[in-house]
Amino acid sequence: MHQEIDINELRELLKKLKVEALENVEIEGDVEVELELPTGINNSLSYALGQELAQIAAHLLNISQFLGYPGWSLSERKELDGGQVPVEAQQIPATLVEEEFSVGHITEWKNKIEEVTLGATSSDGGTRKHTVTIGGESALPYYFDAPMPNPNRVTLDVFDMPIQLAKTVRVNYEDVMHDPGEWAKKAVKEFGADMITIHLISTDPSIKDTSPAEASKTVEEVLQAVDVPIVIGGSGNPQKDPDVLEKAAEVAEGERCLLASASFNLDYVKIGEVAKKYNHVVLAWTQIDLNSQKELNRKLMKQCGLERDQIVIDPTTAALGYGLDYAYTNMERIRIAGLMGDDELSFPISSGTTNAWGAREAWMVSSPLEDDSDWGPREFRGPLWEIITGLTLALAGCDLFMMMHPTSVQVLKELTNTLFGSVKGNDTEISDWITRLVS
Amino acid sequence: MKVKSPLDVNQLLPKTNCGECGEPTCMAFASKLINRDAKLEDCIPLVKEDEEGYNKLAELLAPEVKEITIGVGERAVKIGGDDVLYRHQLTFFNPTALFYDVWDTMDMDELKERVSEIENFRKFYVGEFLTLDGIAIRSVSGDPEKFKETVKKVVEITDLPLVLCSFEPNVLKAGMEAASDRNPLIYGANKENWKEVLELAMKYDVPVTLCSFGDLNLLKSMAITFRNAGVEKLVLDPGTFPSGEKLRETFHNFLKLRRGAILEGQKEIAYPLMGVPATAWLVYEDELSASYWEAVLASLLIVKYGDILILHGTQPHSLLAEVHIRETIYTDPRTPVQVEAGIREIGEPDENSPVFVTTNFALTYYTVESDISSNGIDCYLAVVNTDGIGVEAAVAGGQLTAQKIKEILDEFDFSKLSHRTVVIPGLAARLQGELEDLTGLKVFVGPLDSGRIPGWMEKNWPPEK
Ligand code: B12
Ligand code: SF4
């Protein structure tokens, strides 16, 4: 577009080629020859050099073109003694073009994601003071195509016995770990949990082998301690979980709990039937596989007779750096398919965001690799890992987050609420950001 | 995306299957072109004999979003160049470029230190190091001379690509003089200064950012004005409002611009987008909150369509999160994440070196491999084909079994060792007994995380005879 050749450079070039055209020309001062492309206006040049010199320069320019500088034309020579408008002013428009920008909505998103309510108040046969409704979207999350009817929600993990937790997490719960009721209360009152997940891990035969009846006492305890809806989780033992969840569902009849989880590696039919019988919702869990998610959802509806508003799906959360790419894309595809009309996938989505704590970046004291830059304190890394894992999935369409660290909950909520539209005001002035940041 | 099928591309190729491009057929070459695994120039017959076809194809294959280069030489970064709105539709190209700031009121030592911190940051991940991309130099003083000096200094100490930040044309001009041979990105042109900035971009033929915070009409108007004047290396900054309703609007603006570019073919705004998560520091005073929120804004804009970001915080926790979320979104979903199975030598193993067992999931393999080699441990690493599944999931899913480990160990000549032992991952502990029975080897259960192998070695190696 625009090249500069110092006239002295040109002279040097010419010398090398034994061209003597410039020998008897005096050039005073530092003169820049401006070469314009593609229009090749040499006005400024001639103006600056005076006409005679400009002719020589023109000659030089031809030679320099021959030497490999890009081509231009001297077709506007006739204007040499005219206008003398500096080149910039000629090329630069006097005013901005005035145009409006607009963009359309996505027309393929015709389907609505199912709306699911968790928890039941006394008018619906439960004892919860609040219920939580998730889903109901008609667009990708926070998009301008359609308002998002329900905000994202967070359910905090509570275990039925003290367990090993990453230190950064543990310090927040140390005082209540022996008492699931107190633990749940703290999570709701101090850490802003919308819901509580009670994990009945002591029922695992290789841990304590607590009986289903005994374990369900903990469920009652938690139901009494807090008035938010709850999620009931087993130990992850596929043989025992169906029995554990059955008993728990029975004692919590009518509370519309989320039963975690029905999956293909255990007796999901039983879990579906139990949910139907005692009026709960099932978490349908598959491992980062859209097709098996479809199949499981289909079976829960057809085989167990669950209503559409009794299913929440968990397509699996892999942590940042540990497969989040799969988890993100899987969720995004599921949500888009749901919006475009696939009714086997149009359900609210839940994420085991806590998985983020499995990433070594979240819990290790420092990098095991010498070549890595300093990782900084793990107290800062852990919560951020959970936040970023969660927010990425929020953008893919995740509605409910199972989380652990109070700071993570706070920051993730701040972001999702902001994007949702419930955080008003806050007009930070940014026009002068370049100069305002000083340290 | 304009082209959906290799058929469309094949139509315009010579269709002689001459093989000069290195592919057996034109159709195969067409598929590669669509995946951007080949360059059009490799079809020599087309280049030589069919100018019209070449031009048509070049146009057809050009990405929807313009691709722009910042910087020169090896460290130059490309931004933009995308064709899809969702990564599963193809892949996203040119990872979001992460630029961290320095400013002209820093003293020289501070400046040097920060530049080297940015330049040298590295985080190992799946066989390579994640790094940062460039330096954004801000004029805080408003003094052209001061800015020029700072730019000069930065140019002297690093090859990293640069963004020159000021809304004062004189300052930018001075900065450009010091960095004219580095192809920096100018930041930025706005409603007030656009003429002078346009002139500067023309003069130096460098990329330029158009800034219109919250006003997409103006942004589009500027883009058209610049393009009409022949300046096409444009980056658009619709403004990054760090909080509240304006943040929501910011998110929408990124969505709108990218949707317009890719879905609606609005060429006028089909340029790379810039986000400035550094604005988080205008909201939060304390370092931790600001660094967290900045990482949050960065992640938001990496996931949804930011092509280049200017950041302020260099706290390690934020940097780690930022490079990882970028890797997450820009990893090519089309390429398998497996490594080849087999027994490898790490370092220079001898008869006393241990034999470790792991899986062929790329993430697992590279994590283990780097944990071992960076700690100078010489060993044999038996990589089992688990179909690219990590240890725990492969044990749970049956891809990592005692039988499979045995099969791979059968390839190995234990007679060259002074011991008959192997070490399996802690997460595969339950395979220990069966593996001993099958192989007659002594099987040790290693730590849960391979990062702890060095500590484990201190206590357990060499094994007692
Ligand atoms: C991503 C993931 C998947 C992905 C796997 C992707 C892949 N390519 O591997 C998919 C979606 C496919 C998947 C599927 C399943 N998964 Co999965 N999955 C995970 C997840 C989220 C992360 C695993 C991971 O990638 N870790 C990172 C890698 C690097 O770790 P790694 O391979 O273990 O390597 C580390 C260590 O083992 C060690 N190490 C490795 N090699 C060596 C060698 C030596 C000598 C030593 C000392 C150490 C060592 O160091 C490494 C670095 O830390 C975990 C949950 C979690 N957060 O951990 C569940 C998890 C592993 N999955 C689980 C399950 C049950 C399954 C399924 C069986 C579920 C099902 N019913 O279908 C299937 C099985 C599928 C199959 N095998 O075909 C369970 C396992 C439970 C158990 N302990 O048995 C987990 C723990 C989730 C849970 N809490 O239930 N899963
Ligand atoms: S070089 Fe061109 S013409 Fe020859 S096979 Fe390749 S694509 Fe076809």
Side-chain angles (χ1 to χ4, degrees), chain B residues 10 13-30 33 40 42-46:
Chain B
N10 192 46
L13 286 170
K15 285 184 283 196
T16 57
N17 300 335
C18 74
E20 273 194 68
C21 56
E23 295 303 316
T25 61
C26 295
M27 190 57 132
F29 185 65
L33 283 175
L40 194 52
D42 294 341
C43 175
I44 292 149
L46 182 75

Side-chain angles (χ1 to χ4, degrees), chain A residues 60-274:
Chain A
L60 294 179
L61 297 184
N62 281 329
I63 294 166
S64 61
Q65 179 179 9
F66 164 74
L67 291 175
Y69 285 89
W72 63 88
S73 86
L74 293 163
S75 57
E76 303 193 28
R77 286 279 298 284
K78 54 183 179 301
E79 286 179 29
L80 280 185
D81 44 6
Q84 269 93 17
V85 188
V87 55
E88 287 81 8
Q90 267 209 5
Q91 289 212 329
I92 296 191
T95 55
L96 280 174
V97 171
E98 278 197 31
E99 282 272 352
E100 303 232 315
F101 172 81
S102 72
V103 79
H105 285 189
I106 306 283
T107 48
E108 290 116 328
W109 295 344
K110 295 199 178 84
N111 203 31
K112 206 175 113 180
I113 304 303
E114 192 65 34
E115 204 162 63
V116 173
T117 297
L118 299 166
T121 58
S122 55
S123 60
D124 293 317
T127 61
R128 305 297 85 199
K129 202 155 172 203
H130 319 276
T131 61
V132 160
T133 299
I134 54 175
E137 297 92 340
S138 306
L140 279 179
Y142 328 117
Y143 273 47
F144 52 89
D145 299 85
M148 188 167 157
N150 300 297
N152 303 85
R153 299 294 191 162
V154 171
T155 174
L156 279 178
D157 287 336
V158 170
F159 294 83
D160 69 346
M161 59 180 271
I163 60 152
Q164 257 204 332
L165 291 174
K167 183 166 175 252
T168 311
V169 175
R170 196 179 61 228
V171 294
N172 297 287
Y173 299 109
E174 231 145 21
D175 52 332
V176 291
M177 275 177 93
H178 57 279
D179 184 337
E182 288 303 309
W183 189 338
K185 267 190 201 158
K186 185 170 188 183
V188 173
K189 282 207 184 116
E190 288 181 36
F191 302 148
D194 300 309
M195 294 179 59
I196 290 296
T197 304
I198 174 68
H199 295 278
L200 304 172
I201 53 159
S202 73
T203 58
D204 189 315
S206 66
I207 299 179
K208 277 194 185 165
D209 206 11
T210 314
S211 71
E214 221 177 307
S216 38
K217 284 192 192 135
T218 310
V219 173
E220 289 178 307
E221 210 179 302
V222 171
L223 280 170
Q224 256 156 36
V226 294
D227 54 17
V228 298
I230 70 166
V231 184
I232 305 173
S235 67
N237 180 297
Q239 279 73 44
K240 196 159 170 192
D241 272 1
D243 295 336
V244 172
L245 291 178
E246 179 181 29
K247 191 70 200 162
E250 189 190 329
V251 305
E253 180 167 9
E255 297 284 8
R256 226 176 150 76
C257 303
L258 182 59
L259 303 182
S261 317
S263 71
F264 279 128
N265 65 344
L266 49 63
D267 187 356
Y268 62 86
V269 177
K270 179 165 184 173
I271 293 175
E273 285 169 356
V274 157

Side-chain angles (χ1 to χ4, degrees), chain A residues 94 97 99-102 104 142-143 145 326 329 360-361 372-373 380 419 425 433-434 437 439, chain B residues 87 122-124 138 187 195 199 217 220-221 225 245 248 252 259 264 266 292 304 312 337 371 449:
Chain A
V97 171
E99 282 272 352
E100 303 232 315
F101 172 81
S102 72
Y142 328 117
Y143 273 47
D145 299 85
Y326 297 103
T329 282
R360 51 169 61 182
E361 287 81 358
D372 268 3
S373 298
F380 298 163
L419 295 177
W433 75 267
I434 298 178
L437 296 172
S439 60
Chain B
R87 60 192 288 279
R122 51 191 50 232
K123 165 68 169 66
F124 188 80
R138 290 188 288 119
Y187 183 103
K195 277 187 197 170
E199 190 182 323
N217 292 339
K220 178 174 172 183
S221 303
T225 308
E245 283 163 288
R248 180 176 148 82
H252 288 171
R259 182 184 291 179
E264 301 184 358
Q266 298 192 31
Y292 263 45
K304 292 286 178 180
H312 179 61
V337 286
D371 284 344
D449 192 297

Side-chain angles (χ1 to χ4, degrees), chain B residues 170-296:
Chain B
N170 287 339
V171 171
L172 286 173
K173 218 176 208 164
M176 267 316 305
E177 280 163 17
S180 58
D181 55 349
R182 295 289 292 271
N183 189 33
L185 172 64
I186 300 180
Y187 183 103
N190 63 17
K191 200 177 178 177
E192 282 74 43
N193 70 15
W194 65 270
K195 277 187 197 170
E196 290 102 322
V197 175
L198 173 57
E199 190 182 323
L200 201 61
M202 282 173 143
K203 177 165 176 197
Y204 289 99
D205 189 21
V206 289
V208 59
T209 311
L210 310 183
C211 303
S212 169
F213 300 160
D215 180 352
L216 299 187
N217 292 339
L218 176 61
L219 196 59
K220 178 174 172 183
S221 303
M222 282 208 281
I224 295 175
T225 308
F226 274 58
R227 197 190 54 179
N228 288 350
V231 172
E232 295 200 71
K233 289 185 274 184
L234 302 178
V235 175
L236 308 182
D237 178 4
T240 301
F241 290 91
S243 62
E245 283 163 288
K246 288 275 179 92
L247 172 54
R248 180 176 148 82
E249 218 177 284
T250 297
F251 180 65
H252 288 171
N253 287 343
F254 275 78
L255 296 180
K256 285 177 180 168
L257 288 167
R258 193 47 47 93
R259 182 184 291 179
I262 287 180
L263 219 54
E264 301 184 358
Q266 298 192 31
K267 277 283 156 221
E268 309 88 336
I269 46 86
Y271 296 103
L273 303 179
M274 177 187 277
V276 185
T279 54
W281 295 80
L282 301 175
V283 190
Y284 292 99
E285 307 233 307
D286 72 294
E287 187 180 300
L288 191 60
S289 305
S291 65
Y292 263 45
W293 197 248
E294 184 177 40
V296 163

